[in-house]
């Protein structure tokens, strides 16, 4: 069975791996002179591309490896051939899904390792220099394009493709559904799952002139909220002003609304110091800033948990595939 | 020994019964033809026997086991599906390799010999074979695993008359050589007449008749004579079909006994006529004369 699986799988596998090798070459060439720099703004395009590629890889694997695994056999009628050799469907599916899932996970591991290495200096600078515009690797978008999480995504997308294929029995429809479901899952997980898998750290920080990071107002000039600078490299979940009782205050109290200069078209932007001085009064009035976040130190813990989450999901889908294949 | 036994076998797709109340018993060593109009349930029956489908009602036992229940059971049954699918991207050689890898009982010599005799180029991609060659390749896969029972679902439907004859005579050779039991379906009696010694006629998802081809020929008679009421026929004569003109009555009857009534002119039926009579007359009850007028 291994031979047949390999014979059927070699072209799609070679295509994806060839693309990965090409990406590795580009990263190897450009990555060597990244360490030690302080400005990576010229790498923006490549940096964005590395993240994009790590989201595309599982999608491609799910759609072009996972879906056709069963649907192509059903559409061409070859399931009649292979399921009537002296081998059970269970063993047939075990071999095909086993080899496919391993290849998917290996591809993701390879690409993720390369990208994590390439972007290492940029990630480090993002933590060291909070004023830079770079995202840290804890940022939701970056997090799933680093470390071991992509392995889980690849396994999940592959098994999802197989499962949807078995369910719908038609390649094109199954490809579309797989893509939609995968996109929904990777969008939902950073919002609905990742923030809650570990209890977030909560800090209460005094509002001072130096700690104020952002001032956010609405169109009519009312200051809705402010944020304070976050712990280095952390993933900020909430950054709110609270009163002495711990209730969130938004918009900010009238006392500070009045002392902040309104933007004036002729006078140019208001003096930053004037604003922060004004807002720092909040501290005297008993207000503090409450920050809820996942600290940078939890990066690997969160990575392992998310990998585990996706492997469990993949396991459940695999179980479903084996249940259904008996009645296809 | 029984190679295929079905009892009350039925298969329902959503709302439609593709096969219902099917009870058959096929002894080993026979070539059984499964004939019936399109949609009569031939493929369903073969798919059930191969374990590709699961029955809705009743039971089916093939070579002493539940179809598709395990590697041993799968090894006993060869199945060539309708339109003889093959892996289009794989070469002829690779198909044989596939067979060798997936069947412990694979007969490599037999497979090689067959491919050679049919004149298939081992390096040829299966997708580029002609319909006849593809059917032969599919049959080779089915035979070389050395099954006890070979199921063929309309294997010659897509072939031209010459390829049809070649395929069937080749099948017969293999059957004679290896003593494998065969069940093959077709909607053309002519195809089956040449190769089958047993016949099952399926009409409207039900088994209409099953039996030895010679017996069927010997026990069915076309009787024609002066117009008369069918109720006057002896009770051992089962009316399959009847037609009347103003003066004449023609009936096809099935009986084990001789036709003694001298007023009948007795004619023999070809197998094709016989099957067609069953197909076109789905009612088994003896019909009243008035109804048929």
């Amino acid at each position: 069975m291994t031979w047949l699986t390999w014979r059927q799988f070699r072209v799609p596998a070679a295509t994806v791996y060839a693309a990965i090798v090409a990406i590795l070459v580009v990263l190897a060439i450009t990555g060597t002179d990244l360490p030690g720099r302080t400005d990576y703004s010229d790498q923006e395009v490549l940096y964005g591309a590395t993240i994009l590629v790590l989201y595309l890889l599982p999608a491609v694997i799910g759609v072009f490896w996972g879906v056709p695994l069963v649907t192509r056999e059903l559409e061409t009628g070859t399931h009649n051939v292979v399921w009537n050799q002296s081998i059970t469907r269970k063993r047939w599916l075990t071999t095909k899904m086993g080899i496919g899932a391993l290849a998917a996970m290996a591809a993701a591991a390879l690409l993720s390792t390369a990208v994590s290495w390439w972007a290492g200096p940029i990630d480090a600078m993002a933590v060291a220099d909070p004023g830079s515009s770079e995202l840290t690797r804890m940022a939701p978008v970056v997090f799933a394009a680093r470390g071991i999480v992509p392995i889980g995504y690849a396994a999940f997308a592959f098994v999802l493709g197989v499962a949807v294929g078995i369910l719908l029995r038609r390649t094109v429809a199954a490809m579309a559904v797989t893509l939609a479901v995968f996109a929904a899952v990777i969008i939902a997980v950073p919002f609905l799952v990742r923030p809650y898998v570990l209890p977030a750290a909560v800090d209460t920080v005094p509002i001072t002139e130096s700690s104020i990071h952002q001032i956010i107002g609405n169109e009519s000039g009312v200051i809705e909220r402010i944020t304070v600078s976050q712990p280095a490299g952390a993933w900020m979940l909430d950054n709110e002003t609270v009163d002495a009782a711990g209730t969130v205050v938004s918009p900010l109290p009238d006392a500070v609304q009045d002392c902040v200069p309104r933007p004036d078209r002729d006078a140019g932007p208001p003096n930053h110091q004037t604003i922060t001085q004004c807002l720092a009064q909040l501290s005297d009035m008993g207000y503090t800033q409450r920050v809820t976040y996942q600290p940078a130190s939890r990066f690997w813990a969160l990575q392992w948990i998310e990998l585990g989450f996706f492997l469990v999901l993949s396991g459940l889908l695999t179980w479903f595939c084996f249940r259904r294949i008996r009645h296809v | 020994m029984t190679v295929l036994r079905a009892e009350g076998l039925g298969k329902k797709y959503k709302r439609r019964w593709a096969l219902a109340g099917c009870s058959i018993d096929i002894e080993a060593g026979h070539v059984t033809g499964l004939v019936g109009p399109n949609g009569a349930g031939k493929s369903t029956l073969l798919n059930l026997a191969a374990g590709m489908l699961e029955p809705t009602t009743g039971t089916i036992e093939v070579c002493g086991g539940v179809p598709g229940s395990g590697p041993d059971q799968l090894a006993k049954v060869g199945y060539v599906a309708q339109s003889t699918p093959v892996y289009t991207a794989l070469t002829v050689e690779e198909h044989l390799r596939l067979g060798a890898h997936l069947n412990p009982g694979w007969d490599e010599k037999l497979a090689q010999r067959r491919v050679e005799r049919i004149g298939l180029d081992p390096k040829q991609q299966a997708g580029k074979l002609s319909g006849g060659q593809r059917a032969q390749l599919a049959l080779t896969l089915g035979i070389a695993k050395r099954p006890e029972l070979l199921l063929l679902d309309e294997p010659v439907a897509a072939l031209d008359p010459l390829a049809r004859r070649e395929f069937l005579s080749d099948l017969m050779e293999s059957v004679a050589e290896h003593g494998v039991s065969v069940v093959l379906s077709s909607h053309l009696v002519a195809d089956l007449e040449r190769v089958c010694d047993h016949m099952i006629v399926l009409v409207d998802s039900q088994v209409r008749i099953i039996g030895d081809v010679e017996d069927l020929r010997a026990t069915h008679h076309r009787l024609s004579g002066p117009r008369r009421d069918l109720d006057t026929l002896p009770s051992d004569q089962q009316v399959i079909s009847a037609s009347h003109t103003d003066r004449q009555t023609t009936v096809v009857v099935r009986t084990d006994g001789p036709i003694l009534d001298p007023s009948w002119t007795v004619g023999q039926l070809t197998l094709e006529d016989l099957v067609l009579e069953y197909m076109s007359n789905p009612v088994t009850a003896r019909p009243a004369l008035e109804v048929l007028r």
Side-chain angles (χ1 to χ4, degrees):
Chain A
M1 192 56 226
T2 317
W3 172 80
L4 178 63
T5 305
W6 162 242
R7 176 65 188 77
Q8 288 182 293
F9 187 51
R10 66 186 186 188
V11 174
T15 313
V16 168
Y17 273 94
I20 290 176
V21 168
I23 294 167
L24 295 192
V25 170
V26 172
L27 294 182
I29 293 169
T30 54
T32 44
D33 58 72
L34 289 188
R37 286 166 53 173
T38 52
D39 178 24
Y40 294 105
S41 52
D42 59 328
Q43 298 294 329
E44 239 167 55
V45 173
L46 203 51
Y47 178 82
T50 57
I51 291 174
L52 184 67
V53 149
L54 270 166
Y55 282 97
L56 278 180
L57 178 73
V60 166
I61 284 173
V63 167
F64 294 103
W65 288 8
V67 170
L69 191 87
V70 175
T71 58
R72 255 201 96 206
E73 306 261 359
L74 294 177
E75 281 177 350
T76 54
T78 44
H79 65 296
N80 286 311
V81 177
V82 76
W83 292 351
N84 280 288
Q85 308 303 316
S86 315
I87 171 175
T88 56
R89 288 183 206 187
K90 213 170 131 190
R91 212 186 116 202
W92 173 82
L93 192 62
T94 307
T95 314
K96 286 190 85 154
M97 283 186 77
I99 290 178
L102 283 180
M105 289 162 77
L110 196 63
L111 191 60
S112 175
T113 308
V115 168
S116 298
W117 167 80
W118 183 88
I122 303 179
D123 291 346
M125 195 202 68
V127 175
D129 176 13
S132 78
S133 61
E134 308 290 351
L135 293 168
T136 70
R137 60 180 190 170
M138 286 295 281
V141 172
V142 186
F143 182 80
R146 297 284 184 276
I148 51 180
V149 163
I151 299 172
Y153 277 42
F156 168 72
F158 175 75
V159 179
L160 177 70
V162 178
V164 173
I166 290 177
L167 204 57
L168 298 183
R169 306 175 60 107
R170 289 198 309 276
T171 304
V172 178
M175 282 176 166
V177 171
T178 301
L179 202 58
V181 172
F182 179 69
V185 168
I186 60 169
I187 289 169
V189 163
F191 294 107
L192 304 178
V193 179
R194 200 181 298 153
Y196 307 110
V197 293
L198 288 178
V202 181
D203 283 358
T204 307
V205 256
I207 301 168
T208 63
E209 275 181 52
S210 57
S211 73
I212 294 173
H213 179 59
Q214 274 179 309
I215 302 155
I216 297 137
N218 64 12
E219 284 163 11
S220 51
V222 178
I223 296 168
E224 301 250 297
R225 57 196 194 88
I226 57 172
T227 68
V228 293
S229 30
Q230 55 189 25
W235 175 25
M236 194 56 69
L237 301 174
D238 273 316
N239 196 333
E240 308 154 315
T241 308
V242 290
D243 60 20
T247 320
V248 177
V249 189
S250 176
L252 294 182
D254 294 340
V256 291
Q257 294 289 358
D258 300 335
C259 71
V260 172
R262 293 288 169 263
D264 187 343
R265 201 171 295 168
D266 305 321
N271 186 323
H272 184 73
Q273 210 187 347
T274 326
I275 304 172
T276 50
Q277 264 170 6
C278 159
L279 289 171
Q281 295 172 28
L282 284 168
S283 192
D284 306 332
M285 291 185 246
Y287 294 102
T288 49
Q289 193 75 5
R290 188 172 67 199
V291 288
T292 313
Y293 63 100
Q294 293 288 359
S297 58
R298 290 187 184 168
F299 177 76
W300 283 107
L302 287 170
Q303 283 267 328
W304 279 106
I305 291 170
E306 193 154 325
L307 173 65
F309 174 77
F310 275 99
L311 290 182
V312 168
L313 270 188
S314 311
L316 289 174
L317 282 171
T318 307
W319 171 80
F320 169 82
C321 291
F322 277 91
R323 257 189 78 91
R324 288 291 296 214
I325 200 74
R326 282 187 276 161
H327 310 292
V328 166
Chain B
M1 199 187 87
T2 312
V3 286
L4 197 159
R5 173 181 291 143
E7 261 164 53
L9 185 66
K11 175 71 192 174
K12 194 179 183 183
Y13 293 113
K14 291 197 177 125
R15 287 189 172 168
R16 199 179 66 85
W17 284 92
L19 196 69
C22 170
S23 293
I24 44 178
D25 231 320
I26 298 174
E27 291 292 306
H30 290 294
V31 178
T32 308
L34 190 57
V35 66
N38 293 326
K42 303 189 294 292
S43 292
T44 304
L45 178 56
L46 290 174
N47 273 306
L48 286 164
M52 296 299 288
L53 291 176
E54 289 173 348
T56 312
T57 59
T59 55
I60 181 164
E61 192 180 282
V62 176
C63 303
V66 178
S69 55
D72 295 339
Q73 175 68 23
L74 287 162
K76 287 182 197 167
V77 183
Y79 174 58
V80 177
Q82 200 161 15
S83 70
T84 58
V86 290
Y87 286 100
T88 48
L90 265 61
T91 63
V92 170
E93 209 170 27
E94 286 170 328
H95 274 89
L96 300 191
R97 199 163 164 195
L98 177 162
H101 275 289
L102 302 185
N103 297 289
W106 183 255
D107 189 338
E108 181 67 22
K109 255 194 223 148
L110 167 68
Q112 293 291 352
R113 217 172 45 231
R114 269 189 60 89
V115 164
E116 228 167 86
R117 194 179 64 226
I118 303 154
L120 295 180
D121 174 6
K123 305 274 178 224
Q124 175 97 312
Q125 274 198 342
K128 288 177 182 150
L129 296 173
S130 72
Q133 290 173 320
R134 215 179 55 204
Q136 290 285 21
L137 177 59
L139 178 62
T140 305
L141 272 182
I143 287 181
K145 73 186 267 200
R146 298 301 298 273
E148 290 173 24
L149 174 67
L150 188 57
L151 305 166
L152 306 167
D153 193 1
E154 307 232 5
V156 294
L159 307 189
D160 61 63
L162 187 66
R164 216 170 255 248
R165 192 156 74 188
E166 276 175 5
F167 181 91
L168 290 173
S169 66
D170 183 82
L171 172 67
M172 281 309 97
E173 260 177 57
S174 307
V175 169
E177 202 178 330
H178 307 295
V180 57
S181 309
V182 179
V183 178
L184 84 160
S185 73
S186 175
H187 57 270
L188 293 178
V189 185
D191 287 336
L192 301 180
E193 193 164 14
R194 219 169 12 229
V195 293
C196 296
D197 50 24
H198 268 65
M199 188 75 85
I200 300 172
V201 180
L202 273 180
V203 180
D204 288 340
S205 63
Q206 307 221 319
V207 176
R208 283 288 278 119
I209 187 169
I210 173 166
D212 182 272
V213 169
E214 290 311 315
D215 281 352
L216 291 177
R217 278 211 189 95
T219 56
H220 286 78
H221 308 278
R222 174 177 281 136
L223 310 177
S224 48
R227 186 183 166 91
R228 61 189 284 184
D229 195 319
L230 296 181
D231 287 334
T232 62
L233 289 177
S235 59
D236 67 331
Q237 295 183 1
Q238 187 198 348
V239 177
I240 309 304
S241 73
S243 64
H244 306 274
T245 62
D246 282 345
R247 273 191 251 158
Q248 219 185 10
T249 291
T250 306
V251 286
V252 172
V253 295
R254 179 184 193 181
T255 177
D256 290 326
I259 306 293
L260 299 170
D261 192 333
S263 62
W264 289 123
T265 309
V266 182
Q268 288 302 313
L269 287 124
T270 65
L271 194 61
E272 179 149 20
D273 290 338
L274 197 156
V275 168
L276 284 174
E277 294 294 346
Y278 274 102
M279 282 193 199
S280 48
N281 294 281
V283 208
T284 39
R286 186 176 282 199
L289 192 58
E290 281 72 22
V291 180
L292 285 168
R293 184 176 282 174

